[in-house]
Amino acid sequence: MIEMSGVCKWFGEFQVLKDINISVATGEKMVVCGPSGSGKSTMIRCINRLETHQKGRIVVDGTELTDDARNIGAVRGEVGMVFQQFNLFPHLTAIENLMLGPVRARKMSRKDARERAEFYLERVHIPEQADKYPGQLSGGQQQRVAIARSLCMEPRIMLFDEPTSALDPEMISEVLDVMTELADSGMTMICVTHEMGFAKRVADTMVFMDAGEIVETADPGTFFGSPRSDRCKRFLQQILGH
């Protein structure tokens, strides 16, 4: 479903991605972790062309990401993304935020878009918040609206960029629960997160990045039980506290 081969990216003189090679199968859940500044967010932002890679190839569901706007549009139609910040329109209610994409991009009728939006608000367990504005919702509720908004476009792939990092601790589990249900439903997912309990629960593949490189890739049992690199061991000791 996703293939990155030899991907490199620079910000000016600084190389932020160094020879990235990953492959994600249909239905696979990949969790990417690593210290701040290791290139995790940049890597997944390249997958839907929010960042442009300068070297290597990225192929998403058979379409290679190039400067061709049609290819970019085709890939973005398949890929949903949830960010650290919720990026909801504050002047629109929760359900209006969900309806916007299907009406504008998919040319759905407002009636059909509303039915789809209600379905996905139900799926993220906040149907009763449909007519509230983002400012009236908790952080956890806003992030669940953001997830539902992505799902309304019915993507084949979901990318999560540290979706719980801006949340208060008590709100984190409600968002992770929704993401776990999504993973269990068979969605292809790449998630950048430090939530290692979630990673152990849902990941098929763990990826550890540091200084723009993929240092280690393994199944969760191997990754948490016997990491190979010293860098990965140190990271897990810091984050897991043992």
Side-chain angles (χ1 to χ4, degrees):
M1 188 66 91
I2 301 168
E3 194 81 47
M4 301 180 82
S5 50
V7 172
C8 298
K9 175 167 181 60
W10 288 261
F11 289 129
E13 296 291 303
F14 177 65
Q15 187 171 359
V16 66
L17 295 178
K18 303 169 185 173
D19 195 30
I20 298 296
N21 296 283
I22 63 167
S23 180
V24 183
T26 302
E28 184 175 349
K29 289 75 173 157
M30 178 177 283
V31 172
V32 183
C33 62
S36 295
S38 57
K40 309 180 299 293
S41 293
T42 302
M43 183 183 81
I44 68 165
R45 287 170 68 90
C46 284
I47 293 170
N48 63 355
R49 204 66 168 183
L50 291 176
E51 298 287 356
T52 307
H53 64 291
Q54 285 106 355
K55 190 177 170 190
R57 295 179 76 234
I58 301 176
V59 180
V60 180
D61 198 18
T63 302
E64 182 171 359
L65 271 175
T66 63
D67 291 332
D68 188 325
R70 287 168 302 180
N71 286 10
I72 296 168
V75 167
R76 286 183 178 163
E78 300 283 342
V79 178
M81 185 151 185
V82 177
F83 302 88
Q84 297 176 34
Q85 304 301 330
F86 321 123
N87 295 336
L88 300 173
F89 290 107
H91 64 290
L92 299 178
T93 63
I95 200 158
E96 287 168 345
N97 267 282
L98 267 63
M99 291 169 62
L100 195 61
V103 169
R104 292 273 182 88
R106 296 278 199 259
K107 308 302 182 199
M108 287 181 76
S109 70
R110 289 189 62 81
K111 176 177 177 292
D112 289 346
R114 186 174 183 93
E115 283 179 10
R116 182 181 286 188
E118 287 171 348
F119 173 81
Y120 283 111
L121 281 176
E122 186 82 48
R123 187 161 176 190
V124 299
H125 310 301
I126 45 171
E128 72 286 354
Q129 308 296 346
D131 297 317
K132 289 187 180 175
Y133 290 91
Q136 298 173 294
L137 302 175
S138 70
Q141 289 169 335
Q142 288 186 64
Q143 191 61 295
R144 284 190 280 167
V145 171
I147 292 170
R149 178 180 58 181
S150 282
L151 293 174
C152 271
M153 298 299 283
E154 305 211 316
R156 299 189 64 196
I157 300 161
M158 284 288 284
L159 307 176
F160 293 91
D161 186 8
E162 302 200 35
T164 59
S165 67
L167 299 177
D168 293 333
E170 66 269 20
M171 295 175 189
I172 289 173
S173 64
E174 64 187 60
V175 172
L176 292 178
D177 287 346
V178 166
M179 291 169 62
T180 300
E181 287 177 23
L182 197 56
D184 290 343
S185 75
M187 175 69 77
T188 305
M189 291 168 56
I190 301 181
C191 183
V192 173
T193 185
H194 291 312
E195 299 293 337
M196 293 297 111
F198 167 78
K200 288 177 182 177
R201 165 75 180 81
V202 307
D204 299 307
T205 307
M206 293 295 304
V207 172
F208 173 70
M209 290 184 71
D210 193 16
E213 298 177 302
I214 292 179
V215 177
E216 196 152 334
T217 304
D219 65 89
T222 304
F223 184 84
F224 290 106
S226 51
R228 294 186 307 275
S229 71
D230 288 340
R231 278 192 285 179
C232 190
K233 286 175 188 169
R234 283 198 304 272
F235 175 78
L236 289 173
Q237 282 168 353
Q238 287 173 330
I239 206 160
L240 297 174
H242 57 75

